[in-house]
Amino acid sequence: RWPSLLKYYNQTDSVSWLEEYKARHNAGLEAQRIVASFSKRFFSEHVPCDGFSDIETLGCPSHFFEDELMCILNMEGRKGLTWKYYAKKILYFLRQQNILKNLKEYLQRPTDQQSFLEGAVLIDQYCNPLSDICLRSVQAQVDDIADKVRQVLRTKNPRHPSLASKAEEFLVPEVELQRQVLDAMNCVLYEQLKYKGNELDYYNSLNSYIHQVLIRRTGIPISLSVLYLTIARQLGVRLEPVNFPSHFLLRWCQGKEGSTDIFDYTYIDAFGKGKQLTVKECEYLIGHHVTEEFYGVVTSKEVLQRMVGNLLNLGKRESTDQSYQLLRDSLDLYLAIHPDNVQHLMLQARLYFHLGIWPEKVLDILQHIQALDPSQHGTARYLVQHTLEHIERRKEEVGPEVKLRADEKHKEVCFSVGLIMRHKRYGYNCVIYGWDPTCMMGHEWIRNMNVHSLPHGPHQPFYNVLVEDGSCRYAAQEKLEYISEPREIPHPDIGRYFSEFTGTHYLPNTELEIRYPEDLELTRATVQKIYGSGKE
């Protein structure tokens, strides 16, 4: 019944399966209760930080609880969209909390016990908590590559010491024997397996995730370097990471071990098919001279910081993702590494403030910033003031506004919640999840969007729509039209508003139907009229 739970049991253990069944069954009921409560509690706002408090104090095994959430997410068909939406949010939170705990434990270890690969996996897991990523699986794939390298090495030198030992601390003694290992690695990685630097899509976040690097066989300098370094060390060649500007490199000692002379090293470009470079060639690579400090070795913590920094920059660039999930995740990771970095704490506070989420957490962050750096008092005070105003406004909110079609001011509203529409000018497909009898945006938005140039200007119904590209927009009635062949809208927030896709339209969930109680019948009538009974 629950095959995914097998991994939690040892075949030699004596287990009371009736008790385990009861525990799993009760965890399932608890998970369903909590998921069902989320829509009512958090429909009007982002799930607050303390919204997960009852999950953190679960009275059942967390892996049973997670398993039920996965069962909800894997429900077949187009039903249960609201349950899936909140189950995903809860699972995201639970897994990220666990991964963050593992990352902090990793950072507390002595440097020589911090595997570069494990660090890369932790970053990958945190940014992709719903994916099945584990160190054991990634390590197995790396081991498989290392075995392929041994096969090539065996044909070149059957007596090579790397073939005789798999011990972690084993080191190949001579430079020439090390060179044979690196040549075999380049043969396997770049010729046989076709790994390469992703020059065409360099700024894709997938290039930074180690499990995606292994699947797609492409990445950026730092992710390919972590892979290359890990394989080399398994084969007895000690490469070291170099935090070179603009292009992460590895270095290979040709002189006395631990030498501080940068000319005693050969530099390896894992992004450039393992090419071996001199100091001068490294400068040609980036087009300018750099000082000796940039050729020095860096720690696993500094490697992680650079990987997270890359994701931070990508998160700032992602304009289509209105939730800024990558930026939020990478900020969490950066502050786990450097919890007192004022610049990134301020960025996090500004981001939450901009998104209008977690005002209480914003206040905590701003208080922490002021304690760390009193010079930030002016900026922090401005944000504190507006955050307190936001909290007060939220307290003043009464129940949901109910919009009835019988109301005289709503008589011009032609479309209804749940209909799938097309924008006449921009051509995007969308689903309506709300409407206003006239444009309710401020003067600045109306001016910027040139609303007055429309034949009916702002004095016509406007619709809140979820768009297929993942954005949310506010569209004028005269710009929307029925779509000839309705299809599902792949929007991350679809389950927040709708419980099911029927094939022609979406059914509002309970909370949305409370706000638009007459729209469902109108939507059904509209669909029947346009598409006929066959599709309905």
Side-chain angles (χ1 to χ4, degrees), residues 322 423 425-426 428 439-455 457-458 460 462-463 465 471-476 478-479:
Q322 296 189 341
H423 196 280
R425 180 176 179 184
Y426 298 118
Y428 60 71
C439 182
M440 300 300 287
M441 289 295 192
H443 294 299
E444 187 176 349
W445 186 90
I446 291 172
R447 185 177 65 252
N448 291 340
M449 299 303 291
N450 205 20
V451 172
H452 286 293
S453 67
L454 297 173
Q460 62 175 309
F462 271 69
Y463 297 85
V465 295
S471 63
C472 304
R473 304 193 190 185
Y474 196 51
E478 66 184 74
K479 288 296 181 183

Side-chain angles (χ1 to χ4, degrees), residues 93-359:
F93 169 81
L94 281 174
R95 289 192 174 172
Q96 282 198 328
Q97 290 299 104
N98 194 43
I99 296 159
L100 212 53
K101 183 180 76 173
N102 293 341
L103 176 61
K104 288 174 181 176
E105 288 174 358
Y106 169 91
L107 293 169
Q108 293 298 317
R109 289 185 217 154
T111 306
D112 61 351
Q113 294 177 28
Q114 293 175 341
S115 148
F116 293 101
L117 187 67
E118 184 181 355
V121 168
L122 285 165
I123 290 172
D124 192 347
Q125 288 174 325
Y126 193 81
C127 295
N128 303 284
L130 301 183
S131 299
D132 187 15
I133 305 161
C134 69
L135 179 59
R136 189 187 310 147
S137 170
V138 171
Q139 184 65 63
Q141 293 175 73
V142 173
D143 291 345
D144 185 53
I145 298 173
D147 285 340
K148 285 181 169 65
V149 176
R150 288 188 185 93
Q151 290 172 19
V152 171
L153 204 53
R154 189 173 285 109
T155 64
K156 304 289 184 183
N157 182 356
R159 304 175 73 177
H160 195 285
S162 290
L163 302 175
S165 176
K166 287 192 177 183
E168 287 187 16
E169 299 303 318
F170 165 73
L171 288 175
V172 174
E174 299 173 22
V175 169
E176 183 51 39
L177 291 172
Q178 292 177 14
R179 188 183 305 281
Q180 290 175 13
V181 171
L182 298 181
D183 288 346
M185 279 179 56
N186 291 343
C187 174
V188 170
L189 279 172
Y190 304 111
E191 294 176 29
Q192 292 183 11
L193 300 177
K194 306 298 183 188
Y195 276 80
K196 62 180 180 179
N198 196 344
E199 295 177 347
L200 295 177
D201 194 14
Y202 190 88
Y203 295 103
N204 188 329
S205 60
L206 298 182
N207 295 325
S208 294
Y209 304 140
I210 195 69
H211 88 284
Q212 288 289 349
V213 172
L214 290 163
I215 292 169
R216 299 161 73 238
R217 300 186 181 184
T218 190
I220 52 175
I222 194 166
S223 57
L224 289 169
S225 291
V226 167
L227 177 62
Y228 197 100
L229 173 148
T230 303
I231 297 167
R233 289 193 172 189
Q234 285 187 203
L235 295 165
V237 179
R238 183 172 176 77
L239 302 182
E240 297 173 304
V242 176
N243 213 4
F244 204 65
S246 306
H247 198 106
F248 199 87
L249 297 171
L250 301 170
R251 73 179 192 182
W252 169 35
C253 187
Q254 306 286 287
K256 184 181 177 183
E257 187 178 344
S259 171
T260 56
D261 186 345
I262 63 173
F263 295 98
D264 280 345
Y265 293 87
T266 292
Y267 299 87
I268 296 175
D269 180 12
F271 186 81
K273 298 189 175 182
K275 186 177 180 182
Q276 296 173 10
L277 308 169
T278 63
V279 169
K280 187 56 70 177
E281 286 171 331
C282 291
E283 294 181 349
Y284 288 149
L285 187 66
I286 61 171
H288 60 85
H289 172 71
V290 295
T291 55
E292 288 194 9
E293 63 184 295
F294 290 104
Y295 292 92
V297 67
V298 288
T299 64
S300 50
K301 182 177 179 179
E302 289 168 311
V303 172
L304 257 62
Q305 180 181 321
R306 180 149 171 178
M307 294 184 86
V308 171
N310 288 338
L311 289 169
L312 261 172
N313 290 330
L314 291 177
K316 292 173 185 176
R317 292 164 63 105
E318 284 193 356
S319 56
T320 56
D321 179 10
Q322 296 189 341
S323 70
Y324 292 93
Q325 192 63 57
L326 178 58
L327 182 55
R328 286 156 60 184
D329 290 344
S330 48
L331 271 172
D332 287 345
L333 288 168
Y334 195 96
L335 291 168
I337 300 169
H338 297 290
D340 293 335
N341 184 288
V342 170
Q343 178 187 353
H344 289 86
L345 283 167
M346 184 61 80
L347 177 58
Q348 189 177 58
R350 286 181 178 277
L351 177 61
Y352 293 158
F353 179 79
H354 167 73
L355 293 172
I357 62 174
W358 299 343

